[in-house]
Amino acid sequence: MDAVRLILASRHALAISEGVSRTLAEVWQAQALAQAIGSRLAVTGPPELRGEALGLTELAGRGCGVLDQPRLADGDLRAAQLTELGDARQTLVCLGNLLGEAGIALVGIASAAEDETTYWQCMESIDAADESRDRVVEMLRKLAAREAAGGAERVAG
C-alpha cells in the first residue's frame, strides 16, 4: 500500500482510538510507520534526504521502543504494508501531521496518567515524536530548496 494511504489510515485510527491502551497502540503504529518510511527514504529517496531519513528511522524506532509493543493480529502492522512512497513531499507532509497528532494524543495521556510508568513512557515518546517531526520538517525544507534550485536552473538555462 502506498505511504499516504497508510498514513491516512493511521491518522483515522488514532483519531477514533478510545482508552489509553488503544491510543498508545496507535501511537506505536504511527512511530513504526515513520520508521519504515524513514528507512525507505534512506535507501530510495532523493540523495539530499538520506541523512535526515536515517535520523528519522532511528528516532521513530526509539519512539516505538519506549512504548509497549501492542499485540497485533497478522496483517495489522501498517508499517509492514508499505509498498511504495509515492511523492516524497506529499508523504512527508502527511507524516508530519501524523507525528504531530501522535504527540498531542500522548500529551493527553501523560496529563491524565495515574502511574509514573505511563507518564514517563508518554514523555519519552512525545520527545521522539517531536524530534521525528523535526526531521520531517528538515526534509521538506531540503526538498523545497532542491525545487527552488531546479527552477533557478531552468530560468538561467
Side-chain angles (χ1 to χ4, degrees):
M1 189 179 302
D2 113 320
V4 171
R5 285 183 55 202
L6 287 169
I7 293 167
L8 294 176
S10 287
R11 287 180 70 191
H12 176 73
L14 180 62
I16 65 169
S17 64
E18 294 182 5
V20 171
S21 64
R22 188 71 229 145
T23 302
L24 289 176
E26 290 305 329
V27 168
W28 188 93
Q29 285 259 36
Q31 290 281 18
L33 185 55
Q35 185 179 25
I37 289 169
S39 180
R40 186 71 60 97
L41 278 169
V43 174
T44 64
E48 62 269 28
L49 301 186
R50 292 184 180 161
E52 295 296 332
L54 282 172
L56 172 61
T57 301
E58 182 180 313
L59 289 164
R62 191 180 87 208
C64 287
V66 298
L67 298 174
D68 295 329
Q69 182 174 351
R71 294 182 185 185
L72 300 171
D74 287 344
D76 285 349
L77 176 59
R78 287 185 206 101
Q81 299 171 29
L82 180 65
T83 57
E84 64 181 90
L85 287 176
D87 178 61
R89 184 184 178 290
Q90 183 182 15
T91 296
L92 289 169
V93 167
C94 291
L95 182 59
N97 290 335
L98 174 61
L99 290 167
E101 291 165 5
I104 290 168
L106 288 163
V107 168
I109 293 171
S111 66
E114 295 180 7
D115 62 275
E116 279 193 43
T117 301
T118 301
Y119 174 81
W120 286 111
Q121 280 182 329
C122 288
M123 296 308 290
E124 289 181 38
S125 191
I126 289 166
D127 187 44
D130 187 48
E131 289 182 42
S132 294
R133 191 163 186 266
D134 288 347
R135 294 292 174 126
V136 168
V137 168
E138 181 61 19
M139 285 188 277
L140 285 167
R141 187 194 66 73
K142 287 182 177 186
L143 281 177
R146 181 180 83 164
E147 290 170 7
E153 288 175 11
R154 284 190 292 272
V155 170

